[in-house]
Amino acid sequence: IPGKAATCTETGLTDGIKCSVCDEILVAQEVIPATGHDWGEWNVVTPATCEEEGMEQRVCANDASHIETQAIPATGHTEETIPGKAATCTEDGLTDGVKCAVCGKVLVAQETIPATGHDWGEWTVVTPATCEEEGMEQRVCANDASHIETQAIPATGHTEETIPGKAATCTEEGLTNGVKCAVCGKVLVAQEVIPATGHTEETIPGKAATCTEDGLTDGIKCAVCGEILVAQEVIPATGHTSPARQLPARKPV
């Protein structure tokens, strides 16, 4: 009577013997106890994720068709901060967010922080304007000192001041009035030379010499400045002239 091997879960039987003619049991079969499972190590079939269970299994060493499975719990997320950034004058910022360091899923979304806009200080002169050239001034943002705004300062223009001239004389040149800048000293209208006028001749009347008094020749002076151009010269007195004596007439020889 054929027996059967015991399995992990079922008993077996030893071989028995019977009479093949009358079927009398000559050697009874005996029960062989079930062997029970001989489980191996658990092996991961489907890894668990942050949000979903996985699966692992183990195989019986006595019978490879006997496989046992069990769930691997979801691991849960590993939180990691997503760094935010401060808003600037011109760019929006972001709050801190949170994501999973394993799967990358965003758990707390970052939110936009609106740009602050500039907070300008007072204008400060960097380069003063001159009479002819523009200057420059700047102002700095109180929120971010790297933000600097500049603008031109218009040239001031010249402040005119008269350069006094002088009249020409008989012997010296004169000058017209000129114009200069009272601030920078630049000559705006140059003075021009006025030629000397030259003397205006006027006769100094002389007088004739007499018997007892010297006379004078005519002289010449300038009628404007009075300078003597031709000096008068002395004419000596003539002295007295005695009348001629009358001689007696001669008798003819």
Side-chain angles (χ1 to χ4, degrees):
I1 302 170
K4 64 175 183 177
T7 67
C8 304
T9 57
E10 294 182 358
T11 58
L13 290 171
T14 60
D15 288 342
I17 298 174
K18 70 177 181 175
C19 175
S20 61
V21 176
C22 66
D23 289 333
E24 181 182 346
I25 299 301
L26 304 176
V27 178
Q29 290 178 292
E30 295 180 2
V31 174
I32 303 170
T35 60
H37 293 298
D38 181 9
W39 294 116
E41 297 294 325
W42 287 103
N43 293 308
V44 175
V45 176
T46 305
T49 66
C50 301
E51 295 182 335
E52 295 184 0
E53 292 181 340
M55 188 185 73
E56 60 184 356
Q57 70 178 18
R58 59 183 181 177
V59 179
C60 178
N62 297 329
D63 187 341
S65 68
H66 292 167
I67 299 172
E68 188 175 54
T69 62
Q70 69 178 10
I72 304 172
T75 59
H77 293 296
T78 302
E79 292 188 356
E80 177 183 352
T81 298
I82 306 170
K85 64 175 183 176
T88 67
C89 306
T90 56
E91 294 184 0
D92 293 339
L94 289 171
T95 59
D96 287 344
V98 180
K99 69 177 181 179
C100 177
V102 178
C103 69
K105 181 176 180 178
V106 174
L107 308 177
V108 178
Q110 291 178 288
E111 296 182 2
T112 298
I113 304 170
T116 60
H118 294 299
D119 180 10
W120 293 115
E122 297 295 324
W123 287 103
T124 303
V125 175
V126 177
T127 306
T130 66
C131 302
E132 295 183 334
E133 295 185 1
E134 291 182 338
M136 187 184 76
E137 59 185 356
Q138 70 177 23
R139 59 182 181 176
V140 180
C141 177
N143 296 329
D144 186 344
S146 69
H147 291 166
I148 299 173
E149 188 173 55
T150 61
Q151 69 178 11
I153 303 171
T156 59
H158 293 296
T159 301
E160 293 188 357
E161 177 183 351
T162 298
I163 306 170
K166 65 176 182 176
T169 67
C170 302
T171 57
E172 293 185 359
E173 294 174 336
L175 289 171
T176 60
N177 287 340
V179 180
K180 70 177 181 179
C181 177
V183 177
C184 69
K186 181 176 181 178
V187 174
L188 308 176
V189 177
Q191 291 179 288
E192 295 182 1
V193 173
I194 303 171
T197 59
H199 293 297
T200 301
E201 294 186 357
E202 178 183 350
T203 299
I204 306 170
K207 66 178 180 175
T210 67
C211 301
T212 57
E213 291 184 3
D214 293 337
L216 288 172
T217 60
D218 287 343
I220 300 174
K221 69 177 181 178
C222 177
V224 176
C225 68
E227 182 179 344
I228 302 299
L229 306 176
V230 177
Q232 290 178 293
E233 295 182 2
V234 174
I235 302 171
T238 60
H240 292 295
T241 302
S242 298
R245 289 181 296 174
Q246 189 173 1
L247 297 174
R250 290 184 180 182
K251 292 181 178 181
V253 178

